[in-house]
Amino acid sequence: MAATTPLQGGPAHVAIIMDGNGRWAQSRGRPRLFGHQAGAKRVREIVNACPELGIRYLTIFAFSTENWKRTQAEVSGLMTLFRRYITKEAQALLKEGVRVRFIGDRDQLEPKLVKLMDELETLTAGNDRVHLTIALNYGGRDEVARAVKRLAHEVAAGQLDPEDVDAETLAKFLDTCVLPDPDLVIRTSGEARISNFLLWQSAYAEYEFSPILWPDFTAEEFGKIVEKFSGRERRFGAVPV
């Protein structure tokens, strides 16, 4: 590990776009799903590294609203992988003090998967060591649209005055309303784009684009990036006095 004690000035909330699973598998002559399986195993290592680095909140991008465009075989395989991950990891997450939340639109997901998601959230609701949020069928624009729709319903019902609507009000209708905004967003695999991930929440986040494919992204590399973050000056639009 790059650090053995929580870093001074380190991020409290890190969000990760876990990219590169398919390329990792193809470079080994294996199907893309093999890479997704390897990537799922990497998640445990990164989650376990968080307390040592002083990170209380970790949000990972597991499946986007755009990922439905992939082949039916890959999508079906990913949904099976999600079910297996929840079933396999539930007790370990509970034991390690990890509270799990899911964000995204659940309406398109199969009922069996949604049931497992609900059960894992309930099972780990009392944990507070690490807050793991999994973005599943999630898109930043979709999230904002759904939030605005819920807000509009309250306005139409007379429960909310339109004059009271501001950025703080809208944030209360987002999937992440109970979470702090991310301090650091990491994307693996060398791609330098945010792919519709936490668009509202990451307005003032620091970004790090790692060339490492997700299945090769170790806790040591994670620690190096977190340590690098601690040396940055975050001004949030202000000028230092």
Side-chain angles (χ1 to χ4, degrees):
M1 286 294 298
T4 56
T5 58
L7 295 170
Q8 185 69 28
H13 184 178
V14 177
I16 303 178
I17 302 173
M18 307 179 295
D19 194 23
N21 291 334
R23 277 170 283 166
W24 183 89
Q26 290 173 334
S27 69
R28 289 160 173 76
R30 303 296 296 273
R32 290 176 58 84
L33 196 58
F34 178 74
H36 294 307
Q37 292 168 343
K41 294 177 182 177
R42 185 62 67 186
V43 170
R44 174 184 280 195
E45 180 180 344
I46 300 304
V47 171
N48 289 343
C50 285
E52 189 174 345
L53 294 169
I55 298 166
R56 289 199 64 217
Y57 298 89
L58 177 69
T59 300
I60 57 176
F61 204 2
F63 189 87
S64 77
T65 50
E66 290 73 37
N67 286 156
W68 295 105
K69 300 174 184 177
R70 297 185 179 186
T71 67
Q72 184 177 355
E74 183 172 355
V75 170
S76 178
L78 282 167
M79 294 303 153
T80 298
L81 181 61
F82 296 147
R83 292 196 304 270
R84 289 176 179 172
Y85 176 84
I86 293 173
T87 302
K88 181 180 178 181
E89 298 292 330
Q91 290 303 317
L93 291 165
L94 177 63
K95 182 179 179 181
E96 293 298 322
V98 179
R99 177 167 186 171
V100 181
R101 295 181 177 90
F102 292 91
I103 58 173
D105 187 355
R106 304 188 189 195
D107 290 346
Q108 281 184 275
L109 300 175
E110 57 185 37
K112 184 176 180 181
L113 175 57
V114 174
K115 183 174 183 291
L116 289 171
M117 293 161 61
D118 291 341
E119 290 173 350
L120 183 58
E121 286 181 325
T122 300
L123 178 69
T124 62
N127 287 347
D128 191 47
R129 188 167 180 242
V130 178
H131 292 251
L132 172 63
T133 302
I134 302 174
L136 189 54
N137 193 31
Y138 173 87
R141 289 181 174 181
D142 176 73
E143 177 191 27
V144 172
R146 288 185 287 106
V148 171
K149 185 180 292 185
R150 289 193 291 268
L151 187 154
H153 279 305
E154 291 208 2
V155 170
Q159 299 172 342
L160 181 63
D161 188 331
E163 295 302 318
D164 292 334
V165 177
D166 55 16
E168 184 177 345
T169 304
L170 179 57
K172 294 176 182 178
F173 289 85
L174 296 173
D175 296 352
T176 56
C177 60
V178 298
L179 302 173
D181 288 343
D183 303 296
L184 172 64
V185 179
I186 300 170
R187 180 174 186 141
T188 61
S189 88
E191 301 291 348
R193 58 180 180 272
I194 58 176
S195 295
N196 201 17
F197 182 51
L198 299 179
L199 298 180
W200 178 281
Q201 299 87 341
S202 60
Y204 282 99
E206 297 289 322
Y207 278 84
E208 186 72 29
F209 299 101
S210 170
I212 299 173
L213 301 177
W214 175 249
D216 291 329
F217 190 76
T218 64
E220 181 179 3
E221 182 64 25
F222 185 43
K224 289 178 182 178
I225 292 175
V226 171
E227 186 173 16
K228 179 181 177 182
F229 169 92
S230 66
R232 296 183 181 182
E233 181 183 9
R234 306 177 72 204
R235 297 190 293 273
F236 300 96
V239 177
V241 179

